[in-house]
């Protein structure tokens, strides 16, 4: 398990590598060059084959590799952790990629580990997907009564189209916490009342990296105001490369203060 600088998590863990781009949020995916780097360093065999060999223009190949022994080790570490953690699980992939069968070894093994969760301390395992339909299918098959309370599930919602496509599905998943990751955010997103009644957390943020796209501060304010009005915890992760004046000054200088406050709320 690795500690992380991601503001809404304390740790990241992975047993799976590989993905494909699903929507505009994926355009500058951090996991692609990082997967190439890990593969070239020879640190993990599961990264072999998931990207091409073009170092100047790395791309996903569509290959998904899962290390089931690593999955078991990861969950054993979570269960035996001596201190509470919020673990972003699957930060380098989409655990519910459309190419995976819910009866296949990848998702059946994940279900088995989730079903056997019995932690010594309070633990939260957060899974984020751009494929909530596969998540819902998996939950209904393996956990018809609902996921364990330790499992929080979220969907990336970067624009209104993705909200309209993904939220009607995510809100059907039976979980103690369903959350939105509106990062990177590309336009104002209006959340319908029926979604707000079935969402427990909203995360928002701008894009970082050399090719980061600019965000209008009012898009974040709108999500914050909708969350506050609905009584939903709101977490403003970062401005990204562009500050509240829509000036590019870099992620560190831009910070994460929105209208004079750090919004660091959690369920």
């Amino acid at each position: 398990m690795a500690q992380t600088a991601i503001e809404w998590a304390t740790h990241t863990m992975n047993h799976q590598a590989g993905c494909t781009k699903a929507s505009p949020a994926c355009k500058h995916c951090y996991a692609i060059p990082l997967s190439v780097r890990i593969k070239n360093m020879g640190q993990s065999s599961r990264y072999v084959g998931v990207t091409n060999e073009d170092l100047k223009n790395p791309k996903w190949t569509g290959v998904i590799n899962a290390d089931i022994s690593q999955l078991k080790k990861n969950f054993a570490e979570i269960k035996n952790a001596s201190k509470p953690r919020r673990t972003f699980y699957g930060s380098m992939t989409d655990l519910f990629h459309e190419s995976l069968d819910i009866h296949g070894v990848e998702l059946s093994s994940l279900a088995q580990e989730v079903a056997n969760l019995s932690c010594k301390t309070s633990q939260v395992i957060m899974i984020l997907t751009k494929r909530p339909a596969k998540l819902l299918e998996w939950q209904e098959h393996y956990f018809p009564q609902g996921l364990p309370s330790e499992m929080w599930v979220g969907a990336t919602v970067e624009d209104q189209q993705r909200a309209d496509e993904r939220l009607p599905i995510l809100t059907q998943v039976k979980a103690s916490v369903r959350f939105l990751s509106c990062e990177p955010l590309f336009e104002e997103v209006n959340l319908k009342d029926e979604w707000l009644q079935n969402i427990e957390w909203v995360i928002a943020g701008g894009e970082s990296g050399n090719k980061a796209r600019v965000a209008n501060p009012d898009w974040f304010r709108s999500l914050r105001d909708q969350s506050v009005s609905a009584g939903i915890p709101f977490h403003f992760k970062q401005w990204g490369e562009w500050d509240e004046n829509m000036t590019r000054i870099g992620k560190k200088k831009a910070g994460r203060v929105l209208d004079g406050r750090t919004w660091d709320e959690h369920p």
Side-chain angles (χ1 to χ4, degrees), residues 34-98:
L34 185 53
S35 295
V36 173
R37 191 177 312 144
I38 295 172
K39 179 197 68 175
N40 289 343
M41 293 175 67
Q43 292 182 334
S44 175
S45 61
R46 67 177 175 270
Y47 288 92
V48 175
V50 302
T51 58
N52 62 9
E53 299 297 329
D54 187 349
L55 298 180
K56 294 183 178 180
N57 186 28
K59 296 180 180 179
W60 295 123
T61 62
V63 172
I64 308 291
N65 292 329
D67 183 341
I68 304 306
S69 63
Q70 186 63 53
L71 168 66
K72 295 179 183 296
K73 291 177 183 177
N74 289 347
F75 270 76
E77 182 176 338
I78 291 171
K79 287 189 287 188
N80 293 314
S82 60
K83 295 181 179 179
R85 298 173 175 179
R86 296 193 308 274
T87 301
F88 176 15
Y89 199 94
S91 62
M92 291 289 291
T93 186
D94 193 325
L95 293 169
F96 296 98
H97 192 271
E98 62 269 18

Side-chain angles (χ1 to χ4, degrees), residues 238-254:
Q238 63 180 29
W239 283 106
E241 295 295 321
W242 304 79
D243 68 5
E244 59 185 321
N245 299 311
M246 300 173 71
T247 301
R248 185 161 193 157
I249 62 173
K251 176 182 174 180
K252 186 175 182 179
K253 287 185 178 180

Side-chain angles (χ1 to χ4, degrees), residues 97-116:
H97 192 271
E98 62 269 18
S99 67
L100 301 178
D101 191 309
I102 62 165
H103 303 289
V105 64
E106 299 91 352
L107 291 180
S108 62
S109 298
L110 177 63
Q112 182 177 2
E113 294 303 316
V114 171
N116 291 331

Side-chain angles (χ1 to χ4, degrees), residues 7-266:
E7 288 78 2
W8 48 269
T10 61
H11 295 76
T12 59
M13 294 187 101
N14 291 274
H15 74 274
Q16 181 174 299
C19 199
T20 54
K21 294 185 177 182
S23 61
C26 303
K27 185 174 182 180
H28 303 139
C29 177
Y30 70 87
I32 301 176
L34 185 53
S35 295
V36 173
R37 191 177 312 144
I38 295 172
K39 179 197 68 175
N40 289 343
M41 293 175 67
Q43 292 182 334
S44 175
S45 61
R46 67 177 175 270
Y47 288 92
V48 175
V50 302
T51 58
N52 62 9
E53 299 297 329
D54 187 349
L55 298 180
K56 294 183 178 180
N57 186 28
K59 296 180 180 179
W60 295 123
T61 62
V63 172
I64 308 291
N65 292 329
D67 183 341
I68 304 306
S69 63
Q70 186 63 53
L71 168 66
K72 295 179 183 296
K73 291 177 183 177
N74 289 347
F75 270 76
E77 182 176 338
I78 291 171
K79 287 189 287 188
N80 293 314
S82 60
K83 295 181 179 179
R85 298 173 175 179
R86 296 193 308 274
T87 301
F88 176 15
Y89 199 94
S91 62
M92 291 289 291
T93 186
D94 193 325
L95 293 169
F96 296 98
H97 192 271
E98 62 269 18
S99 67
L100 301 178
D101 191 309
I102 62 165
H103 303 289
V105 64
E106 299 91 352
L107 291 180
S108 62
S109 298
L110 177 63
Q112 182 177 2
E113 294 303 316
V114 171
N116 291 331
L117 271 175
S118 179
C119 302
K120 291 183 177 179
T121 56
S122 176
Q123 298 294 320
V124 171
I125 303 171
M126 298 171 288
I127 292 176
L128 180 62
T129 183
K130 295 180 176 68
R131 284 93 170 171
K134 181 59 64 72
L135 164 63
L136 177 60
E137 182 184 11
W138 178 79
Q139 177 262 302
E140 291 180 333
H141 180 75
Y142 290 105
F143 303 94
Q145 303 304 314
L147 290 164
S149 60
E150 294 92 344
M151 298 298 300
W152 296 7
V153 295
T156 302
V157 174
E158 68 263 42
D159 54 26
Q160 192 65 50
Q161 179 181 339
R162 259 42 68 166
D164 294 340
E165 292 172 352
R166 295 171 182 168
L167 293 191
I169 302 172
L170 177 69
T171 53
Q172 294 179 59
V173 178
K174 293 180 181 177
S176 60
V177 172
R178 288 155 295 200
F179 66 94
L180 311 185
S181 176
C182 302
E183 182 208 4
L185 188 63
F186 298 138
E187 64 182 17
E188 184 173 354
V189 174
N190 293 307
L191 302 175
K192 297 179 181 179
D193 288 342
E194 58 263 38
W195 301 341
L196 290 167
Q197 293 168 7
N198 293 283
I199 294 169
E200 288 72 38
W201 194 20
V202 174
I203 301 167
E207 191 168 30
S208 57
N210 295 333
K211 299 179 180 179
R213 291 156 283 186
V214 65
N216 187 319
D218 288 339
W219 303 343
F220 302 124
R221 294 186 176 107
S222 174
L223 276 177
R224 177 202 58 196
D225 293 345
Q226 291 177 74
S227 300
V228 170
S229 295
I232 298 171
F234 177 74
H235 186 102
F236 184 58
K237 181 178 179 291
Q238 63 180 29
W239 283 106
E241 295 295 321
W242 304 79
D243 68 5
E244 59 185 321
N245 299 311
M246 300 173 71
T247 301
R248 185 161 193 157
I249 62 173
K251 176 182 174 180
K252 186 175 182 179
K253 287 185 178 180
R256 52 190 299 258
V257 174
L258 176 61
D259 292 337
R261 174 181 167 182
T262 299
W263 293 83
D264 216 7
E265 298 176 345
H266 294 82

